[in-house]
Amino acid sequence: MSKQSKAKRDKRKKQQPRRPFLRLDAQQQVQNHAVLVNEEGQVVAAIGLQGRQWLLSVGGQTMGNADNPVPMLAMLKHLANVQEKEGRKVALEYSEQLQQLIDAAAAVEGKSADDYLAGLVAEFEGVEGEDAAVADAGDDAVDAVDADAGEAAAETGDKPQA
């Protein structure tokens, strides 16, 4: 090696543009693609893209992530419908990129984007209705079991135990 090789290397390093340090634990920024805003202008819920993961945030906390944001958007649309039924004014806005994903998914199903999204929202409303029906049926079953236990206790003269 020559005596000047270190000097040449140092000169070359100084001429190169500075690179920022890449931290191993550095998180990428989240880009909002859908935002549900209430009448005061506060964000109620949002869907964002971080790297390749779609994140669902409700009340400022991340609730989950997925590879496909369309079901999350349907959930936000359902939430907006529920809020409006309760008399609160909310606005759901989403990006052009998210609209393109909805259009592509609807084209695969052979539907329009609005019909496809409405179908997904209806599934959430159906699940909510089924949960209420199951809860009502569960309450009826508990009442029936309690009545049977009361009748059996009356026949034997025992007191029902808690």
Side-chain angles (χ1 to χ4, degrees):
M1 253 204 243
S2 70
K3 292 181 179 181
Q4 296 184 358
S5 62
K6 182 178 181 328
K8 289 179 186 177
R9 187 174 60 242
D10 289 344
K11 183 180 176 184
R12 195 171 52 243
K13 278 187 176 179
K14 284 185 180 182
Q15 290 176 349
Q16 290 180 346
R18 292 199 173 261
R19 298 182 317 198
F21 288 105
L22 181 60
R23 304 275 184 221
L24 293 177
D25 60 349
Q27 297 238 345
Q28 295 175 340
Q29 292 289 346
V30 177
Q31 302 168 351
N32 283 338
H33 283 275
V35 180
L36 183 65
V37 181
N38 65 7
E39 56 193 8
E40 288 90 29
Q42 297 172 334
V43 175
V44 177
I47 298 173
L49 181 63
Q50 183 179 34
R52 294 184 180 182
Q53 283 290 323
W54 292 92
L55 303 174
L56 174 66
S57 175
V58 178
Q61 294 188 355
T62 302
M63 295 297 179
N65 59 4
D67 293 330
N68 185 4
V70 177
M72 289 191 286
L73 181 64
M75 189 183 318
L76 287 186
K77 197 157 182 92
H78 172 67
L79 179 62
N81 292 343
V82 169
Q83 293 289 321
E84 287 176 358
K85 285 179 186 175
E86 293 177 357
R88 298 185 190 105
K89 292 183 181 181
V90 294
L92 178 63
E93 302 168 0
Y94 47 93
S95 69
E96 186 64 33
Q97 182 181 1
L98 202 50
Q99 182 63 48
Q100 290 172 352
L101 288 171
I102 295 167
D103 292 340
V108 169
E109 295 281 327
K111 298 179 181 179
S112 71
D114 292 334
D115 291 340
Y116 179 72
L117 196 56
L120 290 175
V121 171
E123 286 180 17
F124 281 106
E125 291 172 357
V127 168
E128 199 172 84
E130 288 174 11
D131 288 346
V134 168
D136 289 342
D139 291 343
D140 293 342
V142 168
D143 292 342
V145 168
D146 289 343
D148 290 342
E151 289 173 11
E155 290 175 6
T156 61
D158 295 336
K159 293 182 182 177
Q161 297 187 6

